[in-house]
Amino acid sequence: MRRAFLIAASTLALGACAGGPPPEVATPEPVLPAQYLYAPDTATDTALTTLLPASDPAFDTLAAQALAGSPTLGEALARIDQARAGADRAGAERLPSVGANASVEGRRSNPAQFGGNLPAAISFDTEQIAYAANVTARWDLDLFGRLRAQERAALARIDAADASARGVRNALLAEIAASVIDWRTLDARKAAIEEDLAAATELARLAGVRERAGLAPGFDRVRAESAANASRSRLAAVESERARIIGRLVTLTAQGGAQVRAALAADAPDAGFANAPASLPSELLANRPDVLAAAANLAAADAELAATARRRFPTFDLSGVIGLLAFSPGDLFDEDSIVGSLAAGIAGPLLDFGRIEAEIDGAAAEKRAAFEAYRGAVYTALGDAEAAYGLVAAADLEASAAAQEAASLSRAAALAETRQRAGLADFLTVLEARRAADASGERAAAVAGRAARARVILWQALGGDTQPITRSTSQ
C-alpha cells in the first residue's frame, strides 16, 4: 500500500512538472527623470502640510468633521476590513481544520440477506440504534506552496485597500481645502466689490449734484448709476457661489448647512503663500497613494499567478477521526466505544485537457494588466506633479502681476478724480478709470485664490498626507 501511494504521488508530481514553470512576466521599474521640469530653482525646506490652509480654523473644523463622518471615507475603511478578513481566511486555510459531530442512527436488518438459515448459536438483533460522537481533523500540508501564495495575495490586497483609503482621505482633505479657499476668495471679492459699489455710488451722487446744478448732462449720472448696478449684480453672483460651496461641503462632511456655515464664519488669519517644497520624482513611488495601491495590486497578481501555477501539483493532506460509537446510551462512554481512524490522501490533476493551463494564462495576463496599471499610475503621478509645480509658478506670477495692476489702476482712478475736480478731465474719463480699478480689485482677489488653490493641487500631487490610515486617525 505504501508503494502504491508513492507511485501515485510520483506520477502526479511528474505530470505537474512536465507543464513547465509559470510564464515569466517582466516588471521593470519605470524610469523617472532625475528632477521636475517646473520645480523651483532654489531648494526649500517647506513642509508639505504648509500648502494646505492649516491655519484657517474653518479648515480644521470641517476637515475633522469629514474625517469622522464622511461616507466615502467610511466605505474605504470598510474595504480595508474586508481585505483583512480575506487575509485572515487565507491564513486560516494553512492550519488544520477541526470539527465535531454527533448522530443517532436507527437501522433494521433482514436476516435473509445473509443467505440460508443461520446456525442456532448465531443470533443478532434485527433492529439497532447507534449513538455516535466524533471529533474530526484535516490538514493540507501545502508542500508546493499554493496556500502560502494565496495568503501573500490576500496580504497584498490589504496594502492596496489601505493605499486606496489614503487616496480617498487625501482627495477629501483637498476638496475641503479648496472649498475653504474658494469661500475666503469670495470674501475678498465681496470686499473689493463693496469698495467698487461705494465708489460708484459716490460718483452717481456727484453726477446728480452736477446735473441739478446744470454743470453736466444727465447721461453722466445714468452711466454712474449703471456702474453701481453692475457692482450690485456681481455681489448677488457672489452669494450664489457661496450656496454652491456650502452644498459641496455638506456632501463632503456629512454635516448640515447650518453647521457648515457656522464653521466658515470663523475669521481666518492672512497666512500668505507658502513656497513650493523641494521634491524628487522618485519620491512619488513611496508617497502617492494611487501608485502604492497599484504596486500592491501588482504584488497580489504575482502571488495569484504563483498560486494558480501550483494547482498543477498534487495536494497532500492528513485526516483523522476519533470518537465514540455505541448501541446503547449507557454504553457510549465505555472504553470499548472508542473508535478512530487516521488517513493520508493525495489528489491532483492527471488529465484536465488544458483547464489549469488556461487558468495560468489568465493569471499571467492579469499580472501583465496589473503591471501596466502600475506604470500608468506612476506616469500619471509624474504628470500631476509636473503640472502642479508649473501651476504654482504660473499662479504666483499672475497673482503678483494682478496685485500690481490693481494698485496701478487704483492710483489712476484717484488721479482721474483729482483731475476732474480740477477741471482737467471729464466725467467719462473718471468713470472709465473707476471701472477699470473696480474690475482689477476683484480680479486680483480671484487670482490670489487660484494661487492658494494651486498649492492644494501640489499637495495632493506630491502624495498628500503620508500617515498610515486607521480608524483612529480618521476620527
Side-chain angles (χ1 to χ4, degrees), residues 156 159-165 288-299 374 377:
D159 295 337
D162 184 82
S164 297
R288 278 280 293 231
D290 52 345
V291 174
L292 293 173
N297 286 327
L298 176 59
Y374 171 69

Side-chain angles (χ1 to χ4, degrees), residues 140-148 310 313-317:
D140 187 339
L141 300 180
D142 193 30
L143 295 181
F144 296 101
R146 178 178 60 86
L147 298 180
R148 290 194 299 273
R310 283 163 174 76
F313 293 92
T315 59
F316 297 86
D317 59 53

